[in-house]
Amino acid sequence: MEDRVAPLLLDWYRRHARDLPWRAAPGSGDSAHDSTLPSPDPYRVWLSEIMLQQTTVQAVKPYFAKFTARWPDIAALAAADEAEVLAQWAGLGYYSRARNLVKCAREVAALGGFPSDEAALRRLPGIGDYTAAAIAAIAFGKRAVVVDANVERVVARLFAIEQPLPGARKAIQARADTITPDKHAGDFAQAMMDLGSSICTSRDAKCLLCPVQEVCAGRAQGDPLRLPVKAKKKPKPQRRGTAFWIARADAVWLVTRPGTGMLGGMRSLPDDGWSARGDGDEQPPLRGAWKAGGVVRHSFTHFDLELGVAIWAGGQPDHSGEGEWWPIDQIEEAGLPTLFVKAARLILA
């Protein structure tokens, strides 16, 4: 069964590969590829893989276009100011990715280019096992076992793996290794991703369209949608906090968050340190010349947040610490994280 998967999937991929702005044509990642096809650009492969972590293709497309227009290669990004990169990243979330992006670009530029083997790639900032395997396979044509969430689902169904996630990941990785070909590993990895995103999805299993339906154990059992088995999720803790809208006639006071921690290095409204408070901590009442401006809600990976917005209503603006007055009519250009964009829009509405 294992030796049939790659030929079936690669044939399907050559005919049905998604057209993505960071992707080279099928066959171009191999050492003996058609010379008329441009080789994959390691910079574009790396940038897209970092952006796609925990993020959808549709959300990434405009950011990828913006970044590659502004910083077209690794040298340009290595020379960029981190604050500017963070501002351009605003709204994409998981901001440690952006900080590691700059660190990694500088290391790669110093090396003279990306290394091609997984071990060396894993030593670079922000590159873990999956991303190293993806870059090695897609950009350099190396045999590497590439397993993201889509591939996890496909493999779990293909082999009818009953163990619940996340405990099943070791078995899924081992099974994925048995079907990864020695040649065309980059195309195979992308074919598995495409299969999981378009046919073998979390909500549907379009088995009649699947190129590997004949060898799929999950389909043979009659209920592929029950796979992969997932452990019951624990409810997220709820946090509460306050952001402060301090404005004068045409500007609002913005601060830059500390370089480490939640939303590190980003411009934001001043706040009361909600990221350090745990579930159940009391929210202190507003005191002094403040009035309530409403509440915004935002979900982070490990907790949900209710953020009250307090408006300074005491005449002369009261602020302290380092910051800057930002034109209110240009607030969308400040590079605020989504949480604070919601807060600003609430007040301006």
Side-chain angles (χ1 to χ4, degrees):
M1 173 270 205
E2 285 87 345
D3 60 349
R4 296 180 61 194
V5 174
L8 289 169
L9 199 56
L10 288 168
D11 180 64
W12 173 82
Y13 180 70
R14 293 183 187 105
R15 291 179 284 114
H16 299 288
R18 285 182 293 176
D19 183 14
L20 299 174
W22 48 82
R23 182 178 282 182
S28 57
D30 304 305
S31 57
H33 70 269
D34 184 341
S35 61
T36 63
L37 298 175
S39 297
D41 180 352
Y43 172 69
R44 295 172 73 86
V45 173
W46 161 74
L47 180 61
S48 66
E49 288 297 340
I50 298 298
M51 287 184 165
L52 286 164
Q53 293 170 6
Q54 307 284 333
T55 312
T56 66
V57 166
Q58 287 306 117
V60 164
K61 281 182 177 179
Y63 283 89
F64 183 83
K66 179 171 61 174
F67 265 69
T68 51
R70 194 178 191 103
W71 301 295
D73 54 36
I74 196 72
L77 186 57
D81 180 79
E82 183 182 277
E84 187 178 1
V85 174
L86 285 167
Q88 294 300 314
W89 190 276
L92 200 55
Y94 301 94
Y95 294 97
S96 62
R97 292 182 297 170
R99 294 191 293 275
N100 281 328
L101 201 71
V102 178
K103 293 176 184 176
C104 185
R106 290 171 181 168
E107 287 197 23
V108 171
L111 290 170
F114 282 93
S116 62
D117 64 282
E118 289 182 75
L121 286 163
R122 280 194 295 269
R123 290 194 287 269
L124 294 171
I127 295 183
D129 292 344
Y130 161 76
T131 306
I135 296 170
I138 298 168
F140 297 105
K142 298 292 185 71
R143 186 190 185 279
V145 182
V146 183
V147 181
D148 68 355
N150 280 322
V151 177
E152 266 186 0
R153 184 186 324 111
V154 171
V155 173
R157 291 175 181 173
L158 194 59
F159 291 95
I161 295 173
E162 301 286 348
Q163 185 182 2
L165 289 172
R169 287 191 173 128
K170 186 174 181 180
I172 289 172
Q173 182 79 21
R175 288 292 198 171
D177 193 2
T178 67
I179 58 174
T180 299
D182 292 332
K183 296 181 179 179
H184 315 294
D187 281 356
F188 180 79
Q190 292 172 108
M192 291 284 279
M193 295 173 195
D194 283 8
L195 189 69
S197 68
S198 63
I199 290 179
C200 195
T201 70
S202 58
R203 296 184 179 182
D204 198 4
K206 304 181 181 76
C207 294
L208 293 178
L209 300 177
C210 180
V212 294
Q213 57 176 286
E214 297 175 4
V215 293
C216 180
R219 178 177 183 263
Q221 290 180 356
D223 188 15
L225 282 179
R226 70 181 182 82
L227 300 167
V229 180
K230 295 182 179 179
K232 188 175 180 180
K233 286 186 177 180
K234 295 180 181 178
K236 287 184 180 181
Q238 179 74 55
R239 293 187 184 179
R240 295 174 179 84
T242 304
F244 303 103
W245 182 268
I246 305 167
R248 57 189 186 188
D250 59 354
V252 62
W253 185 250
L254 299 182
V255 298
T256 299
R257 299 177 68 82
T260 58
M262 292 292 296
L263 310 178
M266 305 291 292
R267 285 195 192 97
S268 72
L269 298 175
D271 64 50
D272 65 343
W274 51 265
S275 61
R277 287 207 308 275
D279 192 24
D281 287 357
E282 290 293 323
Q283 178 68 12
L286 293 175
R287 301 184 185 278
W290 295 97
K291 66 177 182 179
V295 174
V296 296
R297 293 171 176 82
H298 192 72
S299 182
F300 291 94
T301 304
H302 300 298
F303 64 92
D304 293 324
L305 174 68
E306 286 187 0
L307 188 71
V309 187
I311 304 171
W312 177 250
Q316 183 66 22
D318 178 26
H319 62 83
S320 60
E322 294 185 6
E324 58 187 315
W325 290 107
W326 191 273
I328 291 176
D329 62 359
Q330 298 175 31
I331 193 69
E332 298 284 352
E333 301 169 23
L336 299 178
T338 301
L339 168 65
F340 293 103
V341 170
K342 290 179 180 179
R345 288 175 177 169
L346 175 69
I347 298 302
L348 296 176

